[in-house]
Amino acid sequence: MAILGSKEELGDPRLTRIAQADKIKWYKKPNLRFLYLILIPTALGVEWTSGFDSSMMNSLQAVKSWTDYFDNPTSSRLGLLNAMYSLGALMAIPFIPTVSQFLGRRRTILLASLIMSLGAGLQAGAQNQDMFLASRWVLGFGIPFAIVNASALIGELSYANERPIMTSLFNASWFVGAIVAAGTTYGTFQMASTWAWRLPSLLQFVPSAFQLTFMHWCPESPRWLISKDRGDEAFAVLQKYHGEGPGGDEFVRLEFAQIQSTIAQERELESRFVWADVFRDAAMRRRFLIAAVMGFFTQWSGNGLLSFYMKKILALVGITDNRLVQQIILSNTCWGFINAVPIALIAPRFPRRTMFLTCTIGTAAIYTVWTVASARFAIDNSSAAAIPVLVFIYVYSPFYNIGWNALAYTYLVELFPYSQRSKGIAVEQLTVRFAVFFNTYVNPVALDSIGWKYYIVYCVWILVEIITVYLLFPETHNRTLEELSFMFEGKEVQDKVQKNVDKVLNIEMENVGTTSGTDSKAAEQRA
């Protein structure tokens, strides 16, 4: 284990105990209720853009106006149109940690929203394939800045009791954008004019408009404020949103002390070169390795075929009518949302490893049956074989959502301490974009070349995922972010952080005592 760090060791559980003793629901706390509502358009809404883009590009392949305007793109050209989005994202990722630390979570999301608004405008006004490709690159360049900072902001602002659920809902929000895109394209696909595809392209601006409109009322991450020596502002944010329950004052003081101590310890350990932390020591290597493999797993579990090439998948079992294809895409997207939201509310309540193993074993079984059914259609040319393929396309969604949708960002936020969190999520985004770039470019070519046999690749790959999750993924369930910050670094670092926490708390209590004494003397003098 020298290469990947030692067995995880969790920190002081005092915060978790206070939070678990707080039985007041979030919706009965006015400030916390407002925080979660404002995070919907400002942070959760970032994933609306991702969902909209994937669903729109999936649906446009069945829009005659779009295929005619762009000269009926071949498999390789179609792959490039989809993959250009990921290419833009890949080029943005090296800059994300530096920009995020300089601007903070809120302003980085705003910058990303402006970039994506420009991309949506270029896409809607595209006059040729090159202009459409350029718009895809601009949209892709903006999205990882928003995803990294929005997912981190949700985790860093949410109260301990709701944090896993809030971060799980982040990925589930993908389906909101996907449903709007699929519904819009279904409504416009029969239009003879280019507005059949320009209107959905223009609507891709709407999620970014939400962030630009509502971000003014969203607070900044207290961890970023503390990292910039703005402790008074950070304490005010924590006090307002985390101090409403029983033991609220104690929780806020302890949380503030833990964040201060954790960030101080991180500063001692972090490297001067921003990306050197990826290879700094065994603990960091394990964190970044998990982040990297998660990025691949979230996209190489077979979902890329359903997200971008449903038309080709259905054609392999004899379903070619454009209207029926649009209806299946829309209904499957709605079904994804229907099961993703309750799963996002339930999955974080269970151990992470259990949920990831359920996800991977379930998707492996489904892909195996799906492959067999597709093979039967190819061999017998029987329309009856299309039925189990359709059934398992719908069954696939809840199993995938249990792990790679519901828990991906929840797990990433838990794995990394503050200073490396944006880097960790950026690495996950890097491998996501590599995986998507490969899938969107190779999948249509492979499906046209070898048909259903291409599914066998995913059947084998998902077995690799099961083994990796079992051997590599640690358990992070039921702990706060600061308690998880140095779980791979060992007891010595944990003890050092704890001593710093106690020191900060003692200083705070002395200040309170001094203030109280001064107030008493002043009261006596007034009397």
Side-chain angles (χ1 to χ4, degrees), residues 297-312:
F297 291 174
T298 58
Q299 300 303 321
W300 277 0
S301 298
N303 53 307
L305 291 173
L306 297 173
S307 297
F308 289 98
Y309 299 110
M310 183 75 87
K311 180 176 172 63
K312 289 183 176 294

Side-chain angles (χ1 to χ4, degrees), residues 123-141:
Q123 186 172 255
Q127 299 301 306
N128 49 53
Q129 276 196 14
D130 289 340
M131 189 172 174
F132 195 85
L133 283 170
S135 70
R136 304 287 303 146
W137 186 94
V138 173
L139 283 163
F141 189 83

